[in-house]
Each structure stands twice: as C-alpha cells, then as structure tokens.
Amino acid sequence: MHILIPTDFSTNAENAMNYAVYLFEKIKCTFHVLNTYTLDTEDSIKKNDTPTPIALKNNSAANIKKLILDKKLNNTNPLHTFKGLSINDTLVNAIGRISIDKDIDYLFMGTKGYSGTKGVYMGSNTVKVLLQINFCPIIAVPEGYFYDIPDKIAFATNFKYSYTNAELVPLIDLSKLWHSKIVVIHVKNTKKLSEKQENSKQLLVNKIHNLPHDFIELKGYSQISKAIMNYSKNNASVGMIAMINNDHSFFYRLIKENIIKNLTFHTQVPFLVLPFID
C-alpha cells in the first residue's frame, strides 16, 4: 500500500502522519512524505527577504531528509517504509502527479481548527486539495486529534447516487482493517425517498451486507453540516466520517454550505473523502 502525506513540517502535518502510521500498523505500507515549494515572482520583487529558489530548494530537501531519518529511527514497524519527496511545484499539482505516478491508495492531510473570523474550518491548502483532487481517497485529520481506532465509520449519503464497487473500496477496506461498523447516515427531510433513492439504498445494502453496518436517519436539520457534526459529537464510538466527492453528494453541498457561505463545520474525527469514479 502507498500512502501520500504532504507536510509543511507543522504540528498538524506531523499529527496526520502519526495517525496514518497508527491506522495502518498492520499493513505493509510505503509512506511518501511530500514537501512542495514555489517562489512567487511578484513577492520576490516586493520583499527583499524573500528566499531565493536555491534556498527554498535546499531548505525543503534538508527538512525532508531530517524528517524521514527521524521516522526511520523512531518507527520500528518492519512493515513500514518512509520515502521523502521535495518538489518545486504547487501542492495540488504535485499531489495530482504523485498520486498517479506512485499509485497512491490514501492521501492524509492535517487540518486547521475553525476560525470564526475567517470562516474557514480546514485551512486553505486542505480545501484546495479536497476540491481539486477527486480521484484519490483523502483523509483529513483534525488539528489536535488524539488518534484512536474507528469503532464506527459514519458514511453520509442522500441516496441520490448509486455507488460503484470501486468507489466504496477505501471505505470497505478500512472497515475490514479494524472491524469498524459502517453507519450509513441520511439527513431526512419531510419528503419520502424517491424510487431512485430507494434503489440506490438497496444497492448500497447489497455492497456492504457482509460488513457490520447500520442505517440511521437524522431528522430536524436544515443543514447537513450541523447534522453530521452533532451526530459525531454525540456518539463517541464514531471514529471517522466518510463522504463521496461528486456533485450529487453531501460533500458538494457541505463545501457550499461551509466554504462559500462561511458556516461552521468542524469535525472532531478524521474526515474520509472517497473518490468519484466517472
């Protein structure tokens, strides 16, 4: 298995890496740790103290080398291998290329806490990646998250889309890894499920019937974000929240609710975004 972990050498990035190592302790993994650097030409003109391209390159390479050496010294798991990547490119571009070149199975990113003044709950880099990388499973790890095994994985859906087997593989694999129960969450409004939704629900049942699972309907919420946040907060056994990244999903509406309209959504557990396979 190949895991990609972007880092800016912050505490949040370190926490995401530690969680990835912990979550996949029973699996043979190669952890690709990525740092990207770019030099803004306009900034270099305005600021005399802007690092030169050579300095940026050397600092990135040196810090990655130090980080990988530290991981090799402190991680005694024989199943785990660490490799460093220092790349001159934007974060999104680098992640896109590496995800394909290295056949990445999961991407882990550390997230920032909610900022009431800016209306951002994840940090601009994480949001950019979530919006633009829709072909690789992404696990966003909250700031300060004290990692634990996910006894339950809450999978939010509106049943308007029929998931393919390939799209559900990351969710199913994680469920099998730690025997986690998949709790399918539907935020119910006054309307009954349409025939198409009922069919999609049954197809989902068929795909996860061999796994521990449950279906829950949440009522009385006008915003998906609040429904999910409250459910997670009130159920300590939920160790992860999962959604799929497509225009018909909760994820698309969640992004519109919270990034564009600046509403609050800050989960206290990791957030798994499944890829949309067209």
Side-chain angles (χ1 to χ4, degrees), residues 182-197:
I182 298 174
V183 182
V184 181
I185 296 176
H186 175 241
V187 180
K188 186 178 181 180
N189 53 30
T190 56
K191 298 179 181 178
K192 292 183 178 180
L193 293 181
S194 67
E195 183 178 351
K196 181 179 179 180
Q197 286 175 302

Side-chain angles (χ1 to χ4, degrees), residues 18 36 90 106 118 155 165 185 212 227 231 236 240 247 264 272:
N18 291 338
T36 63
T90 65
Y106 292 92
K118 296 182 179 180
F155 180 43
N165 291 329
I185 296 176
Y231 179 79
M240 185 175 290
D247 287 354
T264 309
L272 167 63

Side-chain angles (χ1 to χ4, degrees), residues 185-190 216-222 227 230:
I185 296 176
H186 175 241
V187 180
K188 186 178 181 180
N189 53 30
T190 56
I216 292 179
E217 288 190 338
L218 301 179
K219 302 177 182 179
Y221 292 96
S222 59
N230 287 343

Side-chain angles (χ1 to χ4, degrees), residues 62-78:
N63 286 329
I64 278 290
K65 183 177 180 179
K66 180 181 178 182
L67 180 59
I68 296 301
L69 179 61
D70 179 72
K71 288 302 172 186
K72 289 180 178 179
L73 290 174
N74 291 289
N75 188 306
T76 58
N77 191 332

